[in-house]
Amino acid sequence: MTAPVREANRILDRLDAEARARAEARLDRVDAGAHGLDLASNDYLGLANHPRVIAAGREAIARWGTSARASRLVTGTTPAHHEAEAALSALTGRDTALVFSSGYTANLAVLTALSGPDCLIVSDAHNHASLIDACRLSKAEVVRTPHGDATAVEEALRQRTRPEAIVVESVYSVLGDAPDLAGLLELCARFDALLVIDEAHGIGVVGGGAGVAAALEDHRDRVVVTATLSKALGAQGGAVLGPAAVREALVNTARTFIFDTGLAPAAAAAATAAVRLIAAGEAPVAQLAANRRALTTSLGIAEPAGAVASVPMSSARAAVAARDALRDRGLTVGCFRPPSVPDGVSRLRITCRGDLTPSDVDTAAAAIGAVVAEMG
């Protein structure tokens, strides 16, 4: 049977040309699953397969079904949502929490609801795409400062007199570094600004699992935290944590809360079970730190602040070849390439999970070291 001939279409023609260009530069993405030893997923503590987390999700499905069925403001709120919010607040030391269907929608909510055309947002150059999109949707004036440059942040604040927010991540997912949150919070106090911290890679990993922001006691009403439930907590969804006034504003004005079906009760319940394991010291938070130290020391790379380490590669083509070679050896690692990397450098992305055994770490270090030496 002859394949149908597609008629001319300028949009589809452009998409075809862009796809060919990506493939030629080895920048095309593939929808791939894990293979062998998994050092690519965001399940930092291995809790997605923990019996108590699974049991909590099953029990929630049996009680409330597979869906929230509606917006949280209609009939979509269940006790599972309130329990997750209470558990997250207790773990992080924030006054209140509000869960969303994803970390992405949580970030969109907080910046669009708390700012507007009369506001200024100072955003770190390495912030996640969800924060970048949130800045754009907020309609605020946005100043993008060089990564980790507190002096540039101060200068941006000094030149404005409108309501302001500094937006950073507690642990950056590509370089694995962390900002000086205490120093930024002092700037917020001096210039009457809010500090919005995306803890996607901090909660469950840093500060005994409570996240980086949990240590910030001074000026606590100036701190707003966003988080994902889909990484160290092994579930799905997102959250915004902070003063009661922030939660009230989000419930009443955040479009990604008001007009979105609520987080599935099973995901909320699973996240609650994961939080309780972390709070009780029963999750491998300390083992993650030990594995991270052992793996990065063996590879001779800098130890990151969170769970993800990265190995710079000479090109996108070399990064893809190394990823594929490691897959052939039974090891799955991530592969960061433009435009996903803020500095344009392709990298192998390695998740130093807390549920890896010492033997797993040794195997991974040996394989990655050999492949990088050959192809890096």
Side-chain angles (χ1 to χ4, degrees):
M1 182 177 179
T2 304
V5 177
R6 179 171 65 77
E7 64 184 48
N9 182 302
R10 282 179 292 180
I11 292 178
L12 296 183
D13 289 345
R14 173 177 62 80
L15 296 180
D16 286 343
E18 290 173 352
R20 289 193 296 272
R22 283 194 297 269
E24 175 63 25
R26 298 310 305 268
L27 297 177
D28 51 327
R29 270 60 173 164
V30 294
D31 183 10
H35 172 76
L37 183 59
D38 180 9
L39 271 76
S41 81
N42 293 322
D43 186 18
Y44 296 149
L45 300 174
L47 296 184
N49 287 313
H50 193 285
R52 279 156 58 182
V53 176
I54 292 172
R58 284 176 174 167
E59 289 169 9
I61 288 175
R63 185 172 181 184
W64 294 295
T66 58
S67 171
R69 299 184 176 90
S71 162
R72 290 280 303 277
L73 298 181
V74 183
T75 60
T77 295
T78 69
H81 297 96
H82 293 312
E83 290 171 5
E85 288 163 355
L88 286 163
S89 294
L91 178 69
T92 61
R94 300 295 110 189
D95 294 343
T96 67
L98 187 67
V99 296
F100 288 77
S101 59
S102 71
Y104 211 111
T105 57
N107 278 341
L108 295 183
V110 74
L111 291 185
T112 56
L114 301 184
S115 64
D118 63 336
C119 296
L120 168 72
I121 296 175
V122 182
S123 178
D124 188 281
H126 283 201
N127 278 342
H128 187 263
S130 58
L131 292 171
I132 295 172
D133 288 350
C135 288
R136 292 168 176 165
L137 289 172
S138 73
K139 300 181 181 178
E141 178 186 359
V142 179
V143 175
R144 189 169 180 259
T145 54
H147 179 55
D149 189 338
T151 300
V153 173
E154 180 175 358
E155 183 62 23
L157 294 174
R158 189 183 302 280
Q159 294 183 11
R160 271 59 171 198
T161 58
R162 61 184 70 186
E164 298 150 339
I166 300 172
V167 183
V168 295
E169 297 183 42
S170 66
V171 177
Y172 288 93
S173 63
V174 176
L175 298 184
D177 57 334
D180 176 11
L181 293 181
L184 292 175
L185 190 52
E186 286 300 322
L187 288 178
C188 288
R190 283 172 52 196
F191 292 97
D192 191 19
L194 284 178
L195 180 60
V196 179
I197 306 168
D198 184 343
E199 283 264 44
H201 302 278
I203 287 180
V205 176
V206 185
V212 181
L216 300 174
E217 290 297 331
D218 295 336
H219 315 299
R220 59 180 294 109
D221 284 348
R222 295 189 181 277
V223 177
V224 179
V225 172
T226 67
T228 178
L229 315 182
S230 61
K231 292 183 171 60
L233 302 185
Q236 194 77 31
V240 178
L241 304 103
V246 170
R247 189 184 193 280
E248 195 274 342
L250 293 174
V251 168
N252 286 278
T253 66
R255 294 170 67 86
T256 56
F257 182 82
I258 297 170
F259 299 105
D260 193 22
T261 296
L263 178 66
T272 300
V275 168
R276 289 172 177 166
L277 286 167
I278 293 168
E282 298 179 42
V285 178
Q287 189 59 49
L288 185 154
N291 289 346
R292 176 183 65 205
R293 190 172 305 112
L295 187 55
T296 55
T297 298
S298 179
L299 293 174
I301 58 176
E303 182 179 351
V308 175
S310 61
V311 180
M313 301 296 290
S314 60
S315 66
R317 193 172 298 277
V320 171
R323 179 200 63 191
D324 293 346
L326 287 168
R327 192 174 182 87
D328 291 341
R329 292 175 177 234
L331 182 69
T332 299
V333 300
C335 183
F336 275 6
R337 293 160 289 158
S340 300
V341 285
D343 58 359
V345 177
S346 295
R347 292 174 171 83
L348 297 182
R349 181 181 189 269
I350 305 161
T351 304
C352 309
R353 295 201 333 260
D355 59 339
L356 297 176
T357 67
S359 176
D360 292 335
V361 172
D362 291 343
T363 297
I368 296 169
V371 167
V372 169
E374 179 182 350
M375 301 180 179

